[in-house]
Structures are given as structure tokens and as C-alpha cells.
Amino acid sequence: DIQMTQSPSSLSASVGDRVTITCRASQSIYTYLNWYQQKPGKAPKLLIYAASSLQSGVPSRFSGSGSGTDFTLTISSLQSEDFATYFCQQSFTTRTFGQGTKLEIK
Amino acid sequence: EVQLVESGGGLIQPGGSLRLSCAASGFTVISNYMSWVRQAPGKGLEWVSIIYSGGSTYYADSVEGRFTISRDNSENSLYLQMNSLRDEDTAVYYCAKDTPLAEVPTGRGSYYYFYAMDVWGQGTAVTVSS
């Protein structure tokens, strides 16, 4: 089974900061990598698919990059509504999620 | 509007069974890949099971042999039959539409499809406790 490892597990940042979250796969998943945002008590929301494609309606401050085993999610200028937990997920073989990165206000 | 609504959660004793339902609107369940994902209290997301449009099914190791995913065309619904429930199955269970949002030609007359869960239900809570 493919394992997904995110870092950091938690992150404190301020509005306006540039933030990067990383996700590593235990084997190559090419660009079969998605990113989700989840707020407390809510279902996850798709942000990025196929490693770097922005889902419709998602602000352009969100971007994704990477291929093979190493991927990043970048938020170029944090807004107050971005404080949430972020998950990566592979779709190369069945499905696996990373453990999540909680983004908190500094 | 594309929508998913889960139901069927509740309190169940260890060893018991429960069947979750996920009613879809705005699209046809049997024509799509559909997944179940769960989230234990205070924990991350865990993929549970998927059913492909062709009917193939796959499960996480943690539920293999105990859970069964299925669908009903007449009801346009997805189901998760959960047997031999354990304390560690306590979670909010989400159903999700797993959609091919991008495709890349392979150069051999076919395509690579990039799937992502773009539509989610609101979740249904399952508590396994004596």
C-alpha cells in the first residue's frame, strides 16, 4: 500500500504569510495527487487535483506542485478563512490520505 | 445541483452491524466512482472503500472482510454495510463522488484519468460502544 506523509503536522502563521505544506509518497505516484481543505465540523473541500490543477472556484492564492514522490501545497498570501486542516491524497492506486496539516493563527 | 446526503449512522454495540446510505442527486451513482471516507474523533481522514463504475470494489485493510460497499441504480444511492463493528470504527463517515477531473493521452489511443473527490456529503456519525 502507498503511504502518504505530510509535514509539518501543524503550522502557525499570520494573515498575509506565504505558507508551504509538503506531502511525500512512499513510492512514485506520478502526479496522482490531490489536496483538500477541511474546517471543523465540515466535509473536506477539494482544492487541487492532479498535483497542480486548481479546482473550479478555488482562489488563485492556492497552488500545487510536484511529481513522483514529493509534492507541495502553497498558499501565497494567507487569508483568515484559510486557517483549517489540509490533507493530501493519492489516487494512483485505490486511495490514501496524508495525516493532515493543521494551519493555525499565530 | 449535485448533492450527496448520508444517513444510517448511530450508536451500535461492538460486534454489531449497521448499514449506511448515501443518496445522490444531480448525477448517476452507477456511472461514477464512489468512495467512503471516515474520520475518527480528532483524527485525520481515512479512506475506507471505493466502487468503480464497472462494479469493482476495494477496501482499506482495516475494514476488509467486515465492510461491503454497494449501490442501487433505482434508488441512485451508495451503501456501506458494516459488520463486526469495533470501537475503532467510531467515526464520521462521508461518501464522496470520485470524479475524473483531468485526462492525459497515453499515446496508445487511451487516456490516463486523474480522479479526485469533488463532491462530499455532510457525513453521518457512527459510534461503536457498549
Side-chain angles (χ1 to χ4, degrees):
Chain A
D1 292 358
I2 298 176
Q3 309 302 316
M4 306 299 294
T5 304
Q6 286 180 235
S7 62
S9 296
S10 63
L11 176 60
S12 295
S14 302
V15 171
D17 284 353
R18 180 183 179 88
V19 167
T20 298
I21 298 169
T22 66
C23 179
R24 175 164 287 177
S26 59
Q27 66 181 74
S28 176
I29 57 170
Y30 302 91
T31 55
Y32 291 89
L33 191 282
N34 306 314
W35 289 97
Y36 300 85
Q37 176 193 67
Q38 188 182 34
K39 296 182 178 179
K42 300 294 187 182
K45 172 188 174 183
L46 177 65
L47 299 176
I48 301 285
Y49 62 92
S52 61
S53 295
L54 193 67
Q55 172 68 344
S56 177
V58 174
S60 59
R61 62 181 179 272
F62 291 92
S63 64
S65 64
S67 65
T69 61
D70 295 315
F71 302 87
T72 60
L73 172 71
T74 300
I75 310 173
S76 60
S77 179
L78 270 175
Q79 302 301 301
S80 57
E81 60 266 31
D82 300 337
F83 292 95
T85 301
Y86 293 84
F87 296 91
C88 62
Q89 173 244 322
Q90 66 83 16
S91 60
F92 180 61
T93 65
T94 60
R95 305 293 183 260
T96 315
F97 286 92
Q99 81 277 16
T101 296
K102 187 174 184 179
L103 179 54
E104 299 174 303
I105 300 174
K106 184 183 287 185
Chain B
E1 180 190 6
V2 176
Q3 191 175 8
L4 294 167
V5 178
E6 300 96 336
S7 60
L11 175 63
I12 187 76
Q13 291 189 336
S17 297
L18 208 56
R19 187 197 197 206
L20 305 183
S21 299
C22 171
S25 56
F27 71 99
T28 304
V29 165
I30 64 165
S31 299
N32 287 273
Y33 288 19
M34 298 292 296
S35 281
W36 285 99
V37 175
R38 69 184 180 183
Q39 187 168 37
K43 303 298 184 181
L45 301 172
E46 180 187 15
W47 172 77
V48 172
S49 181
I50 190 168
I51 184 165
Y52 291 167
S53 51
S56 298
T57 59
Y58 298 90
Y59 301 90
D61 290 345
S62 58
V63 306
E64 179 80 57
R66 300 187 298 123
F67 290 11
T68 302
I69 191 172
S70 64
R71 61 194 182 185
D72 184 313
N73 187 36
S74 63
E75 297 291 329
N76 201 31
S77 292
L78 178 73
Y79 303 99
L80 186 68
Q81 177 67 42
M82 305 187 296
N83 298 332
S84 303
L85 282 162
R86 306 167 178 168
D87 291 353
E88 56 265 33
D89 296 319
T90 293
V92 173
Y93 285 73
Y94 297 99
C95 62
K97 180 175 178 284
D98 213 320
T99 305
L101 295 176
E103 59 183 43
V104 174
T106 65
R108 298 185 298 272
S110 59
Y111 291 86
Y112 296 115
Y113 293 98
F114 293 82
Y115 284 81
M117 300 177 199
D118 64 336
V119 180
W120 295 70
Q122 84 288 353
T124 187
V126 173
T127 302
V128 184
S129 175
S130 54

